[in-house]
Structure formats: C-alpha cells, structure tokens
Amino acid sequence: MVRGKTEMKRIENATSRQVTFSKRRNGLLKKAFELSVLCDAEVALIIFSPSSKLYEFSSSGMAKTIERYQRRVKEIGINHKRDDNSQQSRGETYGLTKKIEQLEISKRKLLGEGIDACSIEELQQLENQLERGLTRIRAKKYQLLREEIEKLKEEERNLINENKELKEKLHGMGAIVVASSSSTLSSSEMNMDENDNMEVETGLFIGPPETRQSKKTPPQN
C-alpha cells in the first residue's frame, strides 16, 4: 500500500495533532541518537510540546553543547563582522582609487595634457574652471598684499613713535646737562673771586711793620 504524501500544514484535530507529535518526536530523538553514534557527531536536541513540556537529547551533555554553541556563534559573529569590515574597506579603497584617478585626469587636463580627445563642451568647462581658479588666486594674492602693506604701515607708525619718544628723552637730557654746566660755571667763578679777595687781603698784611715801612718810597733829598 502506497503511503500518501502528508500536506505540510497545521493539523486542526487536537487528537491527531498529539499523536503525530508523539510519533515524530520519538523518530527525531532516534535519528539524533543514530547520528551521534554513526557519525561521531556532537548532537543536542531540544523539543517543547504544545503544552510546553520539555524533551531533550544530548550526546555530550546539554550544558556543554550549549556552551560550545554559544562560543562558536560568538566566533562566527566576529568573523562575519571582520568580513563585513573587510568588504567595506575594500569598497572604500576602490572608491578612493577611482576618485584619485579622476583627479589625476582632471589635473592633467588643467595643465593642458591629454586634451586631444576632449570635446568643445569639455574644453569650455576646463576654461571656466581655469578662469574661476585664477580669480580666486588673484583675490587671495591681493588680500595677502593688503595685509602685508597694513603690517608695514603699522611698523612704520611704531618706529615714528619710538623716534619721537627718543627725541623727547634726548631733549630732556640736554636741558639737564646745560643746567648742570651753568651751575658748575657759576660755582667756579665764585671760587675764583673768593681766591682773588684772599690774595689781596693776604698781600696787605704780610711782614712786620718795619718791613712795611722800608718798602715805602724813600724821601727825596
């Protein structure tokens, strides 16, 4: 008798569903045992019935197999992440390489190289790019020149102020020197006058009275 093909859908009859569950559960547990023995494989099987009853089989201990499974999943996740990162890095590298190639081509064209195959539109675009670049370059150059001129003017103003301060200091020092010289000259003149007075007074009283009289003009005969 040929067994009919079972339609893969939920069995609506509760009794039939429970009978089918029991038969297939036992068959699945048997297959798991056979697989572990015949192929020397580490097998762990966990089944929950519709009423949440637990059925399990493990060839090496359920906890050990679950721990191994979790460790392996973690390793696979890390490897997948590395693979994803590697693929992303390769994609980014390829994109950057293409951009560099395009920039090199544009650079050569701006320098007038490799333009033989360019169309009129491409040449017009290159001309516009060059004109915009020259405009920006000139604007930057003039800006730097203006800044340099302002800097030189500021230095000039500082030098003028420093010279002015030095002149004022020198003028003040010259006035002090002149006043000091005038004071010194006045002191010297006073000392000379005092010395002259002392010499005159000393000349009048030198020698005894006789000597003073002998120095008088002798009487005429």
Side-chain angles (χ1 to χ4, degrees):
M1 182 176 179
V2 180
R3 184 176 180 181
K5 186 177 180 181
T6 304
E7 186 178 2
M8 298 304 298
K9 69 176 185 177
R10 183 177 182 271
I11 300 173
E12 298 298 333
N13 186 274
T15 303
S16 299
R17 186 167 63 244
Q18 182 61 37
V19 171
T20 302
F21 173 76
S22 298
K23 289 180 178 180
R24 291 183 179 268
R25 179 201 66 202
N26 293 332
L28 186 59
L29 291 171
K30 181 181 179 181
K31 292 294 183 180
F33 171 74
E34 292 174 353
L35 180 63
S36 64
V37 173
L38 295 175
C39 302
D40 193 21
E42 185 176 351
V43 181
L45 177 63
I46 299 175
I47 302 173
F48 285 98
S49 69
S51 60
S52 300
K53 187 176 180 180
L54 173 64
Y55 301 90
E56 65 178 32
F57 167 79
S58 177
S59 61
S60 301
M62 185 61 68
K64 179 181 177 182
T65 304
I66 290 175
E67 181 181 358
R68 181 180 179 184
Y69 167 77
Q70 292 175 343
R71 186 168 60 249
R72 182 58 181 165
V73 167
K74 185 176 180 180
E75 292 174 355
I76 292 173
I78 294 173
N79 292 332
H80 284 171
K81 187 175 181 180
R82 289 176 180 173
D83 293 339
D84 294 339
N85 292 335
S86 298
Q87 292 178 358
Q88 183 179 359
S89 299
R90 285 194 294 269
E92 292 176 354
T93 302
Y94 177 77
L96 290 173
T97 302
K98 297 298 291 183
K99 288 182 180 180
I100 291 172
E101 291 177 358
Q102 292 296 327
L103 289 173
E104 289 293 335
I105 294 173
S106 299
K107 178 182 176 182
R108 287 196 297 270
K109 288 181 178 180
L110 290 173
L111 293 174
E113 301 175 359
I115 60 175
D116 296 336
C118 292
S119 63
I120 296 177
E121 290 78 9
E122 291 175 344
L123 292 174
Q124 185 64 44
Q125 291 178 359
L126 289 174
E127 185 178 359
N128 294 335
Q129 290 178 2
L130 288 171
E131 289 178 353
R132 289 193 296 268
L134 286 172
T135 302
R136 290 192 293 268
I137 291 170
R138 291 192 184 102
K140 184 63 177 178
K141 183 183 72 173
Y142 293 145
Q143 178 186 353
L144 293 176
L145 288 173
R146 286 193 297 269
E147 293 176 355
E148 188 68 22
I149 291 171
E150 290 297 327
K151 183 178 179 181
L152 292 173
K153 287 182 178 179
E154 182 66 22
E155 292 179 356
E156 182 183 6
R157 286 192 292 268
N158 293 333
L159 289 174
I160 291 172
N161 293 331
E162 290 179 0
N163 289 333
K164 183 178 180 181
E165 292 177 358
L166 288 174
K167 287 180 179 180
E168 291 177 354
K169 290 181 179 180
L170 290 174
H171 181 71
M173 292 176 64
I176 293 172
V177 170
V178 170
S180 177
S181 300
S182 301
S183 176
T184 303
L185 290 173
S186 299
S187 300
S188 300
E189 291 174 355
M190 291 177 63
N191 291 332
M192 290 176 65
D193 293 339
E194 292 177 356
N195 291 333
D196 291 340
N197 294 330
M198 290 176 65
E199 289 177 358
V200 171
E201 292 176 358
T202 304
L204 292 174
F205 297 98
I206 291 175
E210 295 81 4
T211 307
R212 291 198 300 271
Q213 292 179 358
S214 60
K215 288 182 178 182
K216 295 179 178 180
T217 304
Q220 297 179 359
N221 294 330

